[in-house]
Amino acid sequence: MLSPGFLRFVNVLIGMNASERKAFLQFTTGCSSLPPGGLANLHPRLTVVRKVDAGEGSYPSVNTCVHYLKLPDYPNEEILRERLLTATKEKGFHLN
């Protein structure tokens, strides 16, 4: 069974335009494009986990080496989208 937070995350990804998806991919994997064959051929696979003890004001964080996204359990898609897009614009290692 998929959690409501994960379903909100999927809905936000579906609603992203091409440049937002590219920024998300760069943020989570360190690369701006998928390998041939798409996500199915991404190694290591993208792992999404709930960021423990993170409130609504927290931002997602990542470990790009292992494609690991730590996502707070936001109460709605609007907040999730805003925090995720803000995080993708950060440069450096502030959100790892």
Side-chain angles (χ1 to χ4, degrees):
M1 184 171 160
L2 300 176
S3 74
F6 184 77
L7 294 175
R8 284 190 289 273
F9 169 67
V10 170
N11 287 336
V12 166
L13 286 182
I14 290 169
M16 286 181 172
N17 64 37
S19 65
E20 291 167 338
R21 286 186 190 143
K22 187 174 185 173
F24 169 78
L25 195 59
Q26 181 75 44
F27 175 66
T28 54
T29 68
C31 297
S32 59
S33 61
L34 288 170
L39 275 176
N41 290 330
L42 183 66
H43 295 288
R45 296 211 180 249
L46 179 62
T47 301
V48 180
V49 297
R50 184 173 59 91
K51 191 173 187 179
V52 180
D53 297 328
E56 187 177 308
S58 299
Y59 287 88
S61 57
V62 295
N63 184 322
T64 56
C65 296
V66 291
H67 306 156
Y68 197 81
L69 173 64
K70 295 167 270 187
L71 196 62
D73 190 18
Y74 298 112
N76 59 57
E77 289 179 23
E78 292 76 25
I79 294 171
L80 191 158
R81 178 179 169 76
E82 188 275 327
R83 298 288 188 273
L84 189 57
L85 290 178
T86 299
T88 65
K89 294 173 184 156
E90 275 296 312
K91 302 296 181 210
F93 294 97
H94 305 289
L95 296 172
N96 62 4

